[in-house]
Amino acid sequence: MSTDDFYRTSESKTSGPGYDKVAYDDGATAAFQAPHDEVYPEERKPAREPHEWHFGADLALFVLRVTLGALILAHGLQKVFGLMGGPGIGGFAEFLGTQGFQQTTLLAWVTGCTELGAGALLILGLFTPAAAAGVLGVMANAIWIKVEPREFVGAVELEVLYAAAAFALLFAGAGKISLDRNTPWFRRAPAFGFVFLLIAAGLSVVTLVVLR
């Protein structure tokens, strides 16, 4: 049998009346599909939703920020203007002198104005990383000069609470109930918090080393 006769015979067997197309001919060959694609087709894969602050977190940050800001602002009013039984600039400068500081009048003004500015900014929720870092720097110096190791919590529990609240706001941000909500430091609070933490630490060390 020639080659042409073989192909003609094979064609007649697969196309003649005795050939069962239903049983043997399933049409075009389907492309192989991996089991993973069958179980998790592309259109059914769950999309990861972006993280969003919920109302409870925003409300908590608002309460924490305004409370800390109001208290720090009150301390600034005591130091700068002598309000609410405060010492005023003269009295605070004299206190700094008893703690071994130099340039006490300048340092009193810097501390008082830092508390006034940081307190007001925290209440508004504006430039929160800078404001929180300012509070943290002032509290770090206050803890250093006031701590008494033999007392309960070193007799600086109030300053530690202020510092902890400032640290939390430094890295968590101001929350959506603030003027910072559309700023880069609101969207990337941890990164900006780390930068301002380094700034606060550096200024605190300079104050304790150079001016004391």
Short mmCIF file of all heavy atoms in Angstrom, two decimals, residues 6 35 82 84 90 102 104 107 111 121 129 143 147 153 157 162 167 178 195 198 207 212:
data_model
loop_
_atom_site.label_atom_id
_atom_site.label_comp_id
_atom_site.label_asym_id
_atom_site.label_seq_id
_atom_site.Cartn_x
_atom_site.Cartn_y
_atom_site.Cartn_z
N PHE A 6 -2.74 4.92 2.08
CA PHE A 6 -2.88 4.80 3.54
C PHE A 6 -3.66 5.98 4.12
O PHE A 6 -4.57 5.82 4.93
CB PHE A 6 -1.50 4.70 4.20
CG PHE A 6 -1.55 4.75 5.69
CD1 PHE A 6 -1.91 3.63 6.44
CD2 PHE A 6 -1.23 5.92 6.35
CE1 PHE A 6 -1.94 3.69 7.80
CE2 PHE A 6 -1.26 5.97 7.71
CZ PHE A 6 -1.62 4.85 8.45
N PRO A 35 -4.67 23.53 37.78
CA PRO A 35 -5.66 23.47 38.87
C PRO A 35 -5.73 24.75 39.67
O PRO A 35 -6.79 25.15 40.13
CB PRO A 35 -5.18 22.29 39.72
CG PRO A 35 -4.35 21.48 38.80
CD PRO A 35 -3.73 22.42 37.82
N GLY A 82 3.05 83.82 84.05
CA GLY A 82 2.80 83.71 85.48
C GLY A 82 1.35 83.46 85.82
O GLY A 82 0.93 83.71 86.97
N MET A 84 -2.21 81.32 86.53
CA MET A 84 -2.60 80.11 87.28
C MET A 84 -1.55 79.75 88.34
O MET A 84 -1.20 78.58 88.53
CB MET A 84 -2.83 78.94 86.32
CG MET A 84 -4.01 79.15 85.39
SD MET A 84 -4.20 77.83 84.16
CE MET A 84 -2.89 78.29 83.00
N GLY A 90 10.81 85.15 85.20
CA GLY A 90 11.82 85.39 86.24
C GLY A 90 11.91 84.25 87.22
O GLY A 90 13.01 83.76 87.54
N GLN A 102 22.90 77.20 82.85
CA GLN A 102 23.41 78.52 82.48
C GLN A 102 22.45 79.16 81.48
O GLN A 102 21.59 78.50 80.94
CB GLN A 102 24.81 78.40 81.89
CG GLN A 102 25.82 77.72 82.82
CD GLN A 102 27.16 77.49 82.14
OE1 GLN A 102 27.35 77.91 81.00
NE2 GLN A 102 28.07 76.83 82.83
N THR A 104 19.99 81.10 81.99
CA THR A 104 18.69 80.65 82.49
C THR A 104 17.52 81.45 81.91
O THR A 104 16.46 80.88 81.65
CB THR A 104 18.67 80.76 84.02
OG1 THR A 104 19.00 82.10 84.41
CG2 THR A 104 19.66 79.79 84.64
N LEU A 107 16.93 80.19 78.42
CA LEU A 107 16.37 78.84 78.48
C LEU A 107 14.92 78.87 78.98
O LEU A 107 14.09 78.07 78.51
CB LEU A 107 17.23 77.97 79.39
CG LEU A 107 16.88 76.48 79.43
CD1 LEU A 107 16.94 75.87 78.03
CD2 LEU A 107 17.84 75.74 80.36
N THR A 111 11.88 77.37 76.78
CA THR A 111 11.01 76.33 77.31
C THR A 111 9.56 76.78 77.34
O THR A 111 8.65 76.04 76.91
CB THR A 111 11.46 75.93 78.73
OG1 THR A 111 12.82 75.54 78.70
CG2 THR A 111 10.61 74.80 79.27
N LEU A 121 -0.51 73.97 68.90
CA LEU A 121 -0.50 73.15 67.68
C LEU A 121 -1.14 71.79 67.91
O LEU A 121 -1.83 71.26 67.02
CB LEU A 121 0.93 72.97 67.18
CG LEU A 121 1.61 74.23 66.62
CD1 LEU A 121 3.06 73.94 66.27
CD2 LEU A 121 0.86 74.74 65.39
N PRO A 129 3.85 66.30 64.31
CA PRO A 129 5.15 65.71 64.66
C PRO A 129 6.08 66.69 65.36
O PRO A 129 6.75 66.34 66.33
CB PRO A 129 5.72 65.26 63.31
CG PRO A 129 4.54 65.10 62.43
CD PRO A 129 3.57 66.15 62.87
N ILE A 143 12.34 65.28 83.26
CA ILE A 143 12.54 64.00 83.95
C ILE A 143 13.97 63.87 84.43
O ILE A 143 14.25 63.41 85.55
CB ILE A 143 12.15 62.84 83.02
CG1 ILE A 143 10.64 62.83 82.78
CG2 ILE A 143 12.59 61.50 83.61
CD1 ILE A 143 10.19 61.87 81.70
N VAL A 147 14.12 63.65 88.55
CA VAL A 147 13.95 62.27 88.99
C VAL A 147 14.62 62.03 90.34
O VAL A 147 15.73 62.50 90.60
CB VAL A 147 14.52 61.31 87.92
CG1 VAL A 147 16.02 61.48 87.74
CG2 VAL A 147 14.16 59.86 88.26
N VAL A 153 8.23 55.79 91.31
CA VAL A 153 8.39 56.13 89.89
C VAL A 153 9.29 57.35 89.73
O VAL A 153 9.14 58.14 88.81
CB VAL A 153 7.03 56.36 89.20
CG1 VAL A 153 7.19 56.28 87.67
CG2 VAL A 153 5.99 55.37 89.65
N GLU A 157 6.05 60.77 87.73
CA GLU A 157 5.02 60.05 87.00
C GLU A 157 4.23 60.95 86.05
O GLU A 157 3.82 60.53 84.96
CB GLU A 157 4.06 59.31 87.95
CG GLU A 157 3.35 60.20 88.95
CD GLU A 157 4.12 60.32 90.26
OE1 GLU A 157 5.34 60.14 90.25
OE2 GLU A 157 3.46 60.59 91.29
N TYR A 162 3.06 62.58 80.32
CA TYR A 162 3.12 63.56 79.24
C TYR A 162 4.02 63.06 78.11
O TYR A 162 3.68 63.18 76.92
CB TYR A 162 3.66 64.89 79.76
CG TYR A 162 2.71 65.69 80.61
CD1 TYR A 162 3.18 66.72 81.44
CD2 TYR A 162 1.35 65.44 80.62
CE1 TYR A 162 2.32 67.46 82.22
CE2 TYR A 162 0.48 66.17 81.41
CZ TYR A 162 0.97 67.19 82.21
OH TYR A 162 0.11 67.92 82.99
N PHE A 167 4.87 60.76 72.74
CA PHE A 167 5.48 59.71 71.92
C PHE A 167 4.43 59.00 71.07
O PHE A 167 4.66 58.71 69.89
CB PHE A 167 6.20 58.71 72.82
CG PHE A 167 6.99 57.68 72.09
CD1 PHE A 167 8.31 57.91 71.75
CD2 PHE A 167 6.41 56.46 71.72
CE1 PHE A 167 9.05 56.95 71.06
CE2 PHE A 167 7.14 55.50 71.04
CZ PHE A 167 8.46 55.75 70.71
N SER A 178 -8.36 66.63 62.50
CA SER A 178 -7.22 67.53 62.69
C SER A 178 -6.98 68.31 61.40
O SER A 178 -7.53 67.98 60.34
CB SER A 178 -5.96 66.75 63.05
OG SER A 178 -5.54 65.98 61.92
N VAL A 195 12.04 60.85 62.43
CA VAL A 195 12.91 62.00 62.15
C VAL A 195 12.82 63.03 63.28
O VAL A 195 13.85 63.51 63.79
CB VAL A 195 12.54 62.64 60.81
CG1 VAL A 195 13.28 63.96 60.61
CG2 VAL A 195 12.85 61.69 59.66
N LEU A 198 14.53 61.98 66.55
CA LEU A 198 15.97 62.22 66.54
C LEU A 198 16.28 63.70 66.81
O LEU A 198 17.23 64.02 67.53
CB LEU A 198 16.57 61.80 65.20
CG LEU A 198 16.55 60.29 64.89
CD1 LEU A 198 17.15 60.03 63.52
CD2 LEU A 198 17.30 59.51 65.96
N THR A 207 20.95 70.68 75.27
CA THR A 207 20.53 71.49 76.42
C THR A 207 21.19 71.02 77.70
O THR A 207 21.67 71.83 78.50
CB THR A 207 18.99 71.43 76.57
OG1 THR A 207 18.39 71.91 75.38
CG2 THR A 207 18.53 72.28 77.75
N ARG A 212 24.27 73.22 80.87
CA ARG A 212 24.21 72.79 82.30
C ARG A 212 25.59 72.44 82.79
O ARG A 212 26.36 71.79 82.11
CB ARG A 212 23.30 71.57 82.44
CG ARG A 212 22.90 71.28 83.89
CD ARG A 212 21.75 70.29 83.90
NE ARG A 212 21.22 70.14 85.25
CZ ARG A 212 21.20 68.99 85.92
NH1 ARG A 212 21.65 67.90 85.36
NH2 ARG A 212 20.68 68.95 87.12
#
